[in-house]
Amino acid sequence: MAELHLMKSSNKPTLPITHCCPACGLLCDDLVLTSTSPLNIKNACTKSISFYNSAWLTNSNTPRIAGKASDFNTAIQAAADILRASNQPLFAGLGTEVQGMRAIVALAKKTHATLDHMHSESTVANTLTIQHSGWQTTTLTEVKNRADVILAIGTDIVSSHPRFFEKLVWNEHSLFDKPRPEIIYLAVPKHLSADNLKAGISPAGKAPTVIAADTAKLPEIISALNALMNNKKITENQVAGITIEALQSILDTLKAAQYAVIIWSASNFQYAHAELTVQSITHLIAKLNENTRVAGLPLNAGDGDTSVNNTSTWLSGYPTRSRFFADQASYDAHHFSSNQQLNKCDALLWVSSFNTQQPTCDAPTIVIGHPNMQFDIVPAVFIPVGIPGVDHTGSMFRMDSSVVMPLKQLRENQLPSLSEVVLQIEALLT
Ligand code: SF4
């Protein structure tokens, strides 16, 4: 076997360095790393601080085979051997950026693999809605420049996207002279901190409207909004504990807006057939657009899901939950899910380069991921790789899919990138 060359050449960045944060779908590009010891990053939110602290705790640059330290060449050979012996591998997790996913798709073609992202259980609700009925959505830039009403359904927004209000809602710089948006929260999950709703208080002190309800009741709540929107008579006084007057008031606010934005997080719709709730929201948006302007904004779940699904779609025609055979991709939102395939696959390749999520699978497992990973079940092969936007450059789609942001390398490190490792595995599978 030819010797593999994976170690990167030295490339020490000069501080301070302005960079883009990959820790959530906002991809804020105004972070400034001023010091690494102690770690100091200007404009970092709590989520990004946690992400970078974890990155700087990196404790292993050593691949492992069955828990024993190995070198990169031997680990890559072992990974290739597992995939060569497999008839039906599953590539899951897929926490990566554009370049990593390009390499994964090439390897999937060669090995007839099924692809699924770790957060697709939530994002598939959005995908099914686009496939069934389409939708009218907007971009973060439009939110910043035009939104005068924001209705957040089943989400406080900031627990997943912490700087949303700071960057896009209470910002001082908007292209147009528009009023500060009116904020309405509807059925925010109870487990989220009530403090998070304070992000919806305007700089002038105007409190948001908070309509409390069980998030699991959103199917009937959104159906009631659609019924009212279509002038149907509702004989009950309330729906899921919300008075009809309160629901009508939401509608009246949306109808009076110049540019309302309805935001939801499918991750929080933890019940069967959540896609029907998303579809119901998009029906409401379509109906409202007959007389005014309203747009949707689905929040992404994280770990590069937007980048991975867009890259998969442009390379194969399908988002994840796809399978390759004879160079052709097929798609099945149910059968190609990790839940279904973890019991059927004869090998698992798990990828998680932003965080330390680990897989549980009885089949021989290869893990390529974050160097801090610790395992409850020791995988057959573990290959640590660099963290995108920390250890190497890369590209990521913002959550609205309208902008691709460049990631910078922030530190000198000898870890290879995911795409380098995957390309080397593929090269061994002739
Ligand atoms: S809001 Fe998101 S992208 Fe922005 S700094 Fe926080 S975690 Fe990073």
Side-chain angles (χ1 to χ4, degrees):
M1 174 183 134
E3 190 179 348
L4 303 174
H5 297 283
L6 286 169
M7 295 306 191
K8 300 190 304 188
S9 56
S10 172
N11 186 13
K12 189 169 187 180
T14 307
L15 302 187
I17 180 169
T18 303
H19 62 100
C20 175
C21 168
C24 89
L26 293 183
L27 296 180
C28 301
D29 61 352
D30 60 349
L31 276 69
V32 186
L33 175 64
T34 57
S35 149
T36 57
S37 183
L39 189 62
N40 193 303
I41 305 178
K42 282 185 193 163
N43 297 328
C45 68
T46 50
K47 187 170 185 171
S48 61
I49 288 169
S50 162
F51 168 79
Y52 288 108
N53 276 341
S54 168
W56 254 268
L57 274 178
T58 296
N59 58 30
S60 174
N61 287 353
T62 310
R64 296 186 173 270
I65 298 177
K68 296 210 169 75
S70 163
D71 59 78
F72 275 97
N73 290 336
T74 310
I76 284 171
Q77 181 71 66
D81 289 345
I82 291 172
L83 293 178
R84 192 180 295 108
S86 167
N87 291 315
Q88 199 173 319
L90 169 64
F91 292 0
L94 303 187
T96 183
E97 80 317 22
V98 169
Q99 287 77 2
M101 189 58 190
R102 287 181 72 98
I104 286 285
V105 169
L107 185 62
K109 283 183 180 171
K110 198 165 243 179
T111 55
H112 300 162
T114 304
L115 297 174
D116 191 26
H117 191 272
M118 65 177 89
H119 299 310
S120 67
E121 199 58 40
S122 53
T123 50
V124 77
N126 293 330
T127 307
L128 289 173
T129 299
I130 303 171
Q131 290 170 338
H132 289 162
S133 52
W135 62 12
Q136 292 151 296
T137 54
T138 190
T139 65
L140 301 185
T141 311
E142 287 286 82
V143 172
K144 181 175 177 179
N145 289 324
R146 298 185 190 277
D148 57 355
V149 170
I150 292 176
L151 169 61
I153 297 178
T155 176
D156 60 22
I157 304 174
V158 293
S159 57
S160 56
H161 297 73
R163 296 179 70 199
F164 182 89
F165 284 90
E166 172 204 333
K167 299 268 291 178
L168 305 173
V169 181
W170 307 136
N171 53 294
E172 295 294 332
H173 309 290
S174 169
L175 272 183
F176 309 110
D177 184 20
K178 70 171 180 73
R180 296 279 198 192
E182 183 171 344
I183 310 299
I184 307 169
Y185 293 107
L186 173 62
V188 176
K190 289 191 180 70
H191 69 268
L192 299 178
S193 167
D195 266 3
N196 287 346
L197 302 187
K198 290 180 184 163
I201 300 174
S202 78
K206 183 170 182 210
T209 302
V210 180
I211 301 177
D214 183 354
T215 313
K217 299 285 186 189
L218 275 171
E220 53 206 84
I221 295 167
I222 308 299
S223 291
L225 282 171
N226 271 304
L228 292 172
M229 188 68 210
N230 287 286
N231 299 317
K232 305 284 184 201
K233 191 168 178 210
I234 297 179
T235 52
E236 299 295 325
N237 294 328
Q238 52 182 26
V239 173
I242 305 174
T243 64
I244 300 303
E245 287 73 26
L247 292 174
Q248 186 61 55
S249 168
I250 295 174
L251 274 186
D252 292 344
T253 304
L254 292 170
K255 285 178 184 173
Q258 297 291 305
Y259 194 111
V261 176
I262 298 181
I263 298 175
W264 68 91
S265 170
S267 313
N268 292 342
F269 299 168
Q270 298 282 332
Y271 43 79
H273 296 295
E275 73 275 11
L276 298 180
T277 303
V278 177
Q279 218 165 344
S280 199
I281 293 170
T282 57
H283 284 166
L284 182 66
I285 291 169
K287 186 70 183 169
L288 284 160
N289 268 301
E290 290 176 7
N291 292 303
T292 183
R293 199 161 177 200
V294 180
L297 185 71
L299 299 178
N300 73 315
D303 286 284
D305 54 354
T306 311
S307 301
V308 162
N309 282 312
N310 281 332
T311 305
S312 176
T313 303
W314 98 59
L315 291 174
S316 73
Y318 298 110
T320 59
R321 298 204 173 177
S322 54
R323 173 177 287 173
F324 287 91
F325 193 77
D327 251 3
Q328 294 290 315
S330 53
Y331 176 79
D332 190 315
H334 174 66
H335 288 107
F336 294 162
S337 70
S338 295
N339 281 347
Q340 294 286 319
Q341 292 300 317
L342 278 169
N343 296 324
K344 295 175 183 156
C345 67
D346 56 7
L348 170 67
L349 168 58
W350 177 266
V351 172
S352 180
S353 56
F354 295 109
N355 290 300
T356 55
Q357 279 94 335
Q358 55 173 299
T360 305
C361 182
D362 292 334
T365 299
I366 306 156
V367 175
I368 307 179
H370 198 290
N372 288 352
M373 275 192 172
Q374 303 290 326
F375 299 100
D376 296 333
I377 302 172
V378 174
V381 179
F382 169 53
I383 304 175
V385 288
I387 302 162
V390 175
D391 296 318
H392 61 81
T393 58
S395 312
M396 287 188 81
F397 276 87
R398 216 168 58 183
M399 57 172 263
D400 54 5
S401 292
S402 64
V403 175
V404 176
M405 298 295 292
L407 303 179
K408 290 182 181 172
Q409 182 185 350
L410 300 184
R411 66 178 174 187
E412 213 175 11
N413 180 305
Q414 290 303 302
L415 285 169
S417 66
L418 170 72
S419 57
E420 288 170 318
V421 168
V422 171
L423 288 172
Q424 296 286 1
I425 295 172
E426 189 198 346
L428 294 175
L429 296 171
T430 50

